[in-house]
Amino acid sequence: MTDDQRSAGAPTLEDVARAAGVSRATVSRVVNGVRNVDPVIQEAVRQAVSVTGYTPNRAARSLVTRRADAIALVVSGAGVGPEAARGDSGTGAPVEEDGGSGGSGSFTAQVFADPFFGRVVTGVVDYLRPRGMHPVLMFAETSRARDEVVAYLRQGSADGALVVSTHAEDPLPALIADAGLAAVLFARPARPVPVSYVDLAHQDGARLAAEHLLGRGCRRIATISGPLDVPAGEARLTGFRDTMARHGHPYIPIAEGQFTQESGESAMERLLADHPDLDGVFAANDLMALGACHVLREHGRSIPGDVAVVGFDDSSAALACRPPLTTVRQPVEGMAAEMTRLLLDRLARPDGPVTSVIFEPELVVRGSA
């Protein structure tokens, strides 16, 4: 654009049409993603948009496309208050928080204290940003908040939902499915619902942890499980116990945690009290492993000399640990990006089948084991 054009105001569809040599209606069709426009014409319009510096008006575009160009990123937990919310295992990229979502201070503080959620946000934002879309962060830890999420989606304020459930009994996935709304879940739901999801091969990850501890020569191994009413917690415990049994260890001491550092500390205290001679620990996420390491040091145990410790996730907590934590990597950012891709594909093909994508874990060896 020339200086005179800039001074005249923001470029319009007419400016783009003149630059491309097509009609205003054709430019509108290309800008709004209407199909059946000749690819050569589409390219000419895109180049004209670049040359003129034209920026589509989001409100006007939504009237044409009936799309909000926004995705609800919902952190949901069953129950009547923040005590019901549990995360699995940083700060993610900025997102817009919806004030009407009913999230309480305690619940949101717990969510953002877990590095897992920051990694999810990063993966979602990085995928949406180049596509001209943005996430609206919502919290749904109460029945009222869940109803507000469903209403928000019904009225078209967001085109679909990415749902991270923090409790096995969370009814939100079923509510969204029953309403016929577009959604994708992070992690397999505890109860079958016709909604696509991404997840990790949790049992295979736990197998990697067990084999690593055994390969180091550990023989008195215990585990700090995640909450056993959460599919990921149950799967990691099952995979660990099965692998240990295959190697001749039929009994493994277990202390259940809640995927928090504090619960890891409490669980490690219980394990040490009952099994003071243990020489290896698998914690079902890095936050609990970090807590376990704190307690082991307080009891004068060297890591990994006296007790080897393996975590799960490869989150920021793994690098904050001393020594740095050997852990099973869960590629959360990549999983969140794939979850977003599945949702956008669902929006483009509403009648397509639901699907699942399972990621493979990887052992990351550091100083703790």
Side-chain angles (χ1 to χ4, degrees):
M1 290 183 64
T2 66
D3 291 339
D4 289 342
Q5 286 174 310
R6 289 191 184 93
S7 64
T12 65
L13 282 178
E14 286 78 5
D15 296 325
V16 177
R18 281 193 296 270
V22 298
S23 69
R24 183 187 186 281
T26 297
V27 173
S28 178
R29 287 167 60 83
V30 173
V31 168
N32 290 310
V34 178
R35 297 179 181 179
N36 301 322
V37 178
D38 184 277
V40 175
I41 295 177
Q42 290 186 42
E43 181 58 28
V45 171
R46 292 191 186 101
Q47 290 183 7
V49 167
S50 177
V51 169
T52 60
Y54 172 75
T55 302
N57 181 286
R58 184 177 296 274
R61 180 179 176 181
S62 67
L63 291 175
V64 176
T65 63
R66 298 185 182 275
R67 292 284 177 85
D69 285 338
I71 297 297
L73 175 55
V74 186
V75 182
S76 178
V80 295
E83 69 278 3
R86 289 190 293 230
D88 172 19
S89 75
T91 301
V95 294
E96 177 184 344
E97 179 174 345
D98 181 75
S101 63
S104 69
S106 298
F107 181 70
T108 57
Q110 187 173 17
V111 166
F112 287 119
D114 190 331
F116 168 82
F117 294 104
R119 297 175 66 191
V120 171
V121 171
T122 297
V124 170
V125 171
D126 286 351
Y127 192 88
L128 288 178
R129 180 181 289 136
R131 291 161 177 82
M133 304 182 74
H134 65 278
V136 178
L137 182 60
M138 305 183 75
F139 297 94
E141 81 283 17
T142 67
S143 177
R144 176 182 175 184
R146 288 188 288 275
D147 289 343
E148 290 176 354
V149 168
V150 173
Y152 190 83
L153 295 169
R154 282 185 182 277
Q155 68 190 21
S157 298
D159 298 320
L162 302 168
V163 180
V164 183
S165 288
T166 62
H167 196 279
E169 298 302 316
D170 183 11
L172 183 61
L175 291 174
I176 290 175
D178 290 345
L181 299 167
V184 178
L185 311 180
F186 193 108
R188 173 176 58 88
R191 297 179 180 177
V193 292
V195 179
S196 296
Y197 65 85
V198 301
D199 207 347
L200 187 77
H202 296 283
Q203 292 194 29
D204 291 344
R207 173 182 56 78
L208 294 175
E211 291 176 344
H212 183 73
L213 288 170
L214 291 169
R216 283 185 53 88
C218 298
R219 292 297 178 266
R220 299 176 300 280
I221 301 173
T223 184
I224 301 173
S225 77
L228 298 181
D229 60 349
V230 173
E234 189 276 333
R236 293 175 193 180
L237 177 60
T238 297
F240 190 76
R241 295 179 67 183
D242 285 353
T243 302
M244 294 297 293
R246 289 174 182 270
H247 287 82
H249 297 267
Y251 171 70
I252 302 298
I254 300 167
E256 184 177 357
Q258 301 300 322
F259 284 140
T260 65
Q261 181 175 335
E262 294 75 14
S263 70
E265 293 172 354
S266 299
M268 192 70 253
E269 291 282 7
R270 297 196 300 273
L271 288 172
L272 279 178
D274 296 338
H275 308 276
D277 62 341
L278 60 82
D279 62 1
V281 174
F282 167 55
N285 81 339
D286 291 342
L287 284 176
M288 295 192 300
L290 180 62
C293 288
H294 285 172
V295 170
L296 287 169
R297 286 195 300 271
E298 289 175 354
H299 284 263
R301 310 296 175 89
S302 66
I303 305 168
D306 295 328
V307 183
V309 179
V310 177
F312 203 112
D313 280 342
D314 196 23
S315 67
S316 58
L319 296 178
C321 191
R322 291 294 176 267
L325 193 63
T326 292
T327 185
V328 176
R329 184 167 194 272
Q330 177 174 206
V332 175
E333 295 86 351
M335 295 168 69
E338 178 64 12
M339 174 175 64
T340 311
R341 186 195 69 78
L342 289 176
L343 180 59
L344 297 189
D345 185 62
R346 184 73 173 173
L347 292 173
R349 298 188 302 121
D351 296 329
V354 298
T355 188
S356 58
V357 178
I358 307 300
F359 284 71
E360 296 300 323
E362 176 186 355
L363 184 70
V364 179
V365 178
R366 298 192 180 98
S368 70

Coordinates of all heavy atoms in Angstrom, one line a residue, residues 160-210:
G160 N -16.3 -25.1 19.6 CA -16.2 -26.5 20.1 C -15.4 -26.4 21.4 O -15.0 -25.3 21.8
A161 N -15.2 -27.6 22.0 CA -14.6 -27.6 23.3 C -13.4 -28.7 23.3 O -13.6 -29.8 22.8 CB -15.6 -27.9 24.4
L162 N -12.3 -28.3 24.0 CA -11.3 -29.2 24.3 C -11.4 -29.4 25.8 O -11.3 -28.4 26.6 CB -9.9 -28.6 24.0 CG -9.7 -28.2 22.5 CD1 -8.5 -27.3 22.3 CD2 -9.6 -29.4 21.7
V163 N -11.6 -30.6 26.3 CA -12.0 -30.9 27.7 C -10.8 -31.6 28.3 O -10.5 -32.7 27.9 CB -13.3 -31.6 27.8 CG1 -13.6 -31.9 29.2 CG2 -14.4 -30.8 27.1
V164 N -10.4 -31.1 29.4 CA -9.4 -31.8 30.3 C -10.1 -32.1 31.6 O -10.4 -31.2 32.4 CB -8.2 -30.9 30.6 CG1 -7.2 -31.7 31.4 CG2 -7.5 -30.5 29.3
S165 N -10.5 -33.4 31.8 CA -11.2 -33.7 33.0 C -10.2 -34.1 34.1 O -9.2 -34.8 33.8 CB -12.1 -34.9 32.7 OG -13.3 -34.5 32.0
T166 N -10.5 -33.7 35.3 CA -9.6 -34.0 36.4 C -10.2 -35.0 37.4 O -9.7 -35.2 38.5 CB -9.3 -32.7 37.2 OG1 -10.5 -32.1 37.7 CG2 -8.6 -31.6 36.3
H167 N -11.3 -35.6 37.0 CA -11.9 -36.6 37.9 C -12.7 -37.6 37.1 O -13.3 -37.3 36.1 CB -12.9 -35.9 38.9 CG -13.3 -36.7 40.1 ND1 -14.2 -37.7 40.0 CD2 -12.8 -36.8 41.3 CE1 -14.3 -38.3 41.2 NE2 -13.5 -37.8 42.0
A168 N -12.6 -38.9 37.5 CA -13.2 -39.9 36.7 C -14.7 -39.8 36.6 O -15.3 -40.2 35.6 CB -12.8 -41.3 37.4
E169 N -15.3 -39.2 37.6 CA -16.8 -39.1 37.6 C -17.3 -37.9 36.9 O -18.5 -37.5 37.0 CB -17.3 -39.2 39.1 CG -17.0 -40.5 39.8 CD -17.6 -41.7 39.0 OE1 -18.7 -41.6 38.6 OE2 -16.8 -42.7 38.9
D170 N -16.5 -37.2 36.3 CA -16.9 -35.9 35.6 C -18.0 -36.2 34.6 O -17.8 -36.9 33.6 CB -15.6 -35.3 34.9 CG -15.9 -34.0 34.3 OD1 -17.0 -33.4 34.5 OD2 -15.1 -33.5 33.5
P171 N -19.1 -35.5 34.8 CA -20.2 -35.7 33.8 C -20.2 -34.9 32.6 O -21.0 -35.0 31.7 CB -21.5 -35.4 34.7 CG -21.0 -34.3 35.6 CD -19.5 -34.7 35.9
L172 N -19.2 -33.9 32.5 CA -19.2 -32.9 31.4 C -19.1 -33.6 30.0 O -19.8 -33.2 29.1 CB -18.2 -31.9 31.6 CG -18.1 -30.8 30.5 CD1 -19.5 -30.0 30.5 CD2 -17.0 -29.8 30.8
P173 N -18.2 -34.6 29.8 CA -18.1 -35.2 28.5 C -19.4 -35.7 28.0 O -19.8 -35.6 26.9 CB -17.0 -36.3 28.7 CG -16.2 -35.8 29.8 CD -17.1 -35.1 30.7
A174 N -20.2 -36.4 28.9 CA -21.5 -37.0 28.5 C -22.5 -35.9 28.2 O -23.3 -36.0 27.3 CB -22.0 -37.9 29.6
L175 N -22.4 -34.8 29.0 CA -23.3 -33.7 28.8 C -23.1 -33.0 27.4 O -24.0 -32.7 26.7 CB -23.2 -32.6 29.8 CG -23.6 -32.9 31.3 CD1 -23.2 -31.8 32.2 CD2 -25.1 -33.2 31.3
I176 N -21.8 -32.9 27.0 CA -21.5 -32.3 25.7 C -21.9 -33.2 24.6 O -22.5 -32.8 23.6 CB -20.0 -32.0 25.7 CG1 -19.7 -30.8 26.6 CG2 -19.5 -31.7 24.3 CD1 -18.2 -30.5 26.7
A177 N -21.6 -34.5 24.8 CA -22.0 -35.5 23.8 C -23.5 -35.6 23.6 O -24.0 -35.6 22.4 CB -21.5 -36.9 24.1
D178 N -24.3 -35.6 24.7 CA -25.7 -35.6 24.6 C -26.3 -34.4 23.9 O -27.4 -34.5 23.3 CB -26.3 -35.7 26.0 CG -26.1 -37.1 26.6 OD1 -25.7 -38.0 25.9 OD2 -26.2 -37.2 27.9
A179 N -25.6 -33.3 24.0 CA -26.1 -32.0 23.4 C -25.7 -31.9 21.9 O -26.1 -31.0 21.2 CB -25.5 -30.8 24.2
G180 N -24.9 -32.9 21.5 CA -24.5 -32.9 20.1 C -23.5 -31.9 19.7 O -23.4 -31.4 18.6
L181 N -22.7 -31.5 20.7 CA -21.7 -30.4 20.5 C -20.3 -31.0 20.2 O -20.0 -32.1 20.6 CB -21.6 -29.5 21.8 CG -22.9 -28.8 22.2 CD1 -22.8 -28.3 23.6 CD2 -23.2 -27.7 21.2
A182 N -19.5 -30.2 19.4 CA -18.2 -30.7 19.0 C -17.2 -30.6 20.2 O -17.1 -29.6 20.8 CB -17.7 -29.9 17.8
A183 N -16.5 -31.7 20.5 CA -15.6 -31.7 21.6 C -14.5 -32.8 21.3 O -14.8 -33.8 20.7 CB -16.3 -31.9 22.9
V184 N -13.4 -32.6 22.0 CA -12.3 -33.7 22.0 C -11.8 -33.6 23.4 O -11.7 -32.6 24.1 CB -11.2 -33.4 21.0 CG1 -10.1 -34.5 21.1 CG2 -11.8 -33.4 19.6
L185 N -11.5 -34.8 24.0 CA -11.0 -35.0 25.3 C -9.5 -35.2 25.4 O -9.0 -35.9 24.5 CB -11.7 -36.1 26.0 CG -13.2 -36.2 25.9 CD1 -13.7 -37.5 26.7 CD2 -13.9 -35.0 26.5
F186 N -8.9 -34.7 26.4 CA -7.5 -35.1 26.7 C -7.6 -36.3 27.7 O -8.0 -36.1 28.9 CB -6.7 -33.9 27.4 CG -5.3 -34.2 27.4 CD1 -4.4 -33.5 26.6 CD2 -4.7 -35.1 28.3 CE1 -3.0 -33.7 26.6 CE2 -3.3 -35.3 28.3 CZ -2.5 -34.6 27.5
A187 N -7.3 -37.5 27.3 CA -7.3 -38.7 28.0 C -8.6 -39.4 27.9 O -9.7 -38.8 27.7 CB -7.1 -38.5 29.5
R188 N -8.5 -40.7 27.9 CA -9.7 -41.6 27.7 C -10.6 -41.4 28.9 O -10.2 -41.4 30.0 CB -9.2 -43.1 27.7 CG -10.3 -44.1 27.7 CD -9.7 -45.5 27.6 NE -8.8 -45.8 28.6 CZ -9.1 -46.4 29.8 NH1 -10.4 -46.6 30.1 NH2 -8.2 -46.6 30.7
P189 N -11.9 -41.3 28.6 CA -12.9 -41.1 29.6 C -13.1 -42.4 30.4 O -13.0 -43.5 29.9 CB -14.2 -40.7 28.9 CG -14.0 -41.2 27.6 CD -12.6 -41.2 27.2
A190 N -13.4 -42.2 31.7 CA -13.6 -43.4 32.6 C -14.8 -44.2 32.1 O -14.8 -45.4 32.2 CB -13.7 -43.0 34.0
R191 N -15.8 -43.5 31.6 CA -17.0 -44.1 31.1 C -17.1 -43.8 29.6 O -17.0 -42.7 29.2 CB -18.2 -43.6 31.9 CG -18.2 -44.0 33.4 CD -19.4 -43.4 34.1 NE -19.4 -43.8 35.5 CZ -20.3 -43.4 36.4 NH1 -21.3 -42.7 36.0 NH2 -20.2 -43.7 37.6
P192 N -17.5 -44.8 28.8 CA -17.5 -44.6 27.4 C -18.5 -43.6 27.0 O -19.7 -43.6 27.4 CB -17.9 -46.0 26.8 CG -17.5 -47.0 27.9 CD -17.7 -46.2 29.2
V193 N -18.0 -42.6 26.2 CA -18.9 -41.6 25.6 C -18.4 -41.4 24.1 O -17.2 -41.6 23.8 CB -18.8 -40.2 26.3 CG1 -19.4 -40.3 27.7 CG2 -17.4 -39.7 26.4
P194 N -19.4 -41.1 23.2 CA -19.0 -41.0 21.8 C -18.3 -39.7 21.5 O -18.8 -38.8 20.8 CB -20.3 -41.1 21.1 CG -21.3 -40.5 22.1 CD -20.8 -41.0 23.4
V195 N -17.1 -39.5 22.1 CA -16.3 -38.3 21.9 C -14.9 -38.7 21.6 O -14.3 -39.6 22.3 CB -16.4 -37.4 23.2 CG1 -15.5 -36.1 23.0 CG2 -17.8 -37.0 23.5
S196 N -14.2 -38.0 20.6 CA -12.8 -38.3 20.3 C -11.9 -38.0 21.5 O -12.2 -37.0 22.2 CB -12.4 -37.6 19.0 OG -13.2 -38.0 17.9
Y197 N -10.8 -38.6 21.5 CA -9.8 -38.3 22.6 C -8.4 -38.6 22.2 O -8.2 -39.4 21.3 CB -10.1 -39.0 23.9 CG -10.0 -40.5 23.9 CD1 -8.8 -41.1 24.1 CD2 -11.1 -41.3 23.7 CE1 -8.7 -42.5 24.1 CE2 -11.0 -42.7 23.7 CZ -9.8 -43.3 23.9 OH -9.7 -44.6 23.9
V198 N -7.5 -38.0 22.8 CA -6.0 -38.3 22.7 C -5.6 -38.9 24.1 O -6.2 -38.5 25.1 CB -5.2 -37.1 22.3 CG1 -5.6 -36.6 21.0 CG2 -5.2 -36.0 23.4
D199 N -4.6 -39.8 24.1 CA -4.2 -40.3 25.4 C -2.8 -40.9 25.2 O -2.2 -40.9 24.0 CB -5.1 -41.4 25.9 CG -5.1 -41.5 27.4 OD1 -4.2 -41.0 28.0 OD2 -6.0 -42.2 28.0
L200 N -2.2 -41.3 26.2 CA -0.9 -42.0 26.2 C -1.0 -43.4 26.6 O -2.0 -43.9 27.2 CB 0.0 -41.3 27.3 CG 1.5 -41.7 27.4 CD1 2.2 -41.0 26.2 CD2 2.1 -41.4 28.7
A201 N -0.1 -44.2 26.1 CA 0.0 -45.7 26.4 C 0.6 -45.8 27.8 O 1.7 -46.1 28.0 CB 0.8 -46.4 25.4
H202 N -0.3 -45.5 28.8 CA 0.2 -45.4 30.2 C 0.9 -46.7 30.7 O 1.9 -46.6 31.4 CB -1.0 -45.0 31.1 CG -1.5 -43.6 30.8 ND1 -0.9 -42.5 31.2 CD2 -2.7 -43.3 30.2 CE1 -1.7 -41.4 30.8 NE2 -2.7 -41.9 30.2
Q203 N 0.3 -47.8 30.4 CA 0.8 -49.1 30.9 C 2.2 -49.3 30.4 O 3.1 -49.8 31.1 CB -0.1 -50.2 30.6 CG -1.4 -50.2 31.3 CD -2.2 -51.5 31.3 OE1 -1.6 -52.6 31.1 NE2 -3.5 -51.4 31.3
D204 N 2.4 -48.9 29.1 CA 3.8 -49.1 28.5 C 4.8 -48.2 29.2 O 5.9 -48.5 29.4 CB 3.7 -48.8 27.0 CG 2.9 -49.8 26.2 OD1 2.7 -50.9 26.8 OD2 2.6 -49.6 25.1
G205 N 4.3 -47.0 29.5 CA 5.2 -46.1 30.3 C 5.6 -46.6 31.6 O 6.8 -46.5 32.0
A206 N 4.7 -47.2 32.3 CA 5.0 -47.7 33.6 C 5.9 -48.9 33.5 O 6.8 -49.2 34.3 CB 3.7 -48.2 34.4
R207 N 5.7 -49.7 32.4 CA 6.7 -50.8 32.1 C 8.1 -50.3 31.9 O 9.0 -50.9 32.5 CB 6.2 -51.5 30.8 CG 7.2 -52.6 30.4 CD 6.7 -53.3 29.1 NE 6.5 -52.3 28.0 CZ 7.5 -51.8 27.3 NH1 8.7 -52.1 27.5 NH2 7.2 -50.9 26.3
L208 N 8.3 -49.2 31.3 CA 9.6 -48.6 31.1 C 10.2 -48.3 32.4 O 11.4 -48.5 32.7 CB 9.5 -47.4 30.2 CG 9.1 -47.6 28.7 CD1 9.0 -46.2 28.0 CD2 10.2 -48.4 28.0
A209 N 9.4 -47.7 33.3 CA 9.9 -47.4 34.7 C 10.3 -48.6 35.4 O 11.4 -48.6 36.1 CB 8.8 -46.6 35.4
A210 N 9.5 -49.6 35.4 CA 9.8 -50.9 36.2 C 11.1 -51.5 35.6 O 12.0 -51.9 36.4 CB 8.6 -51.8 36.1

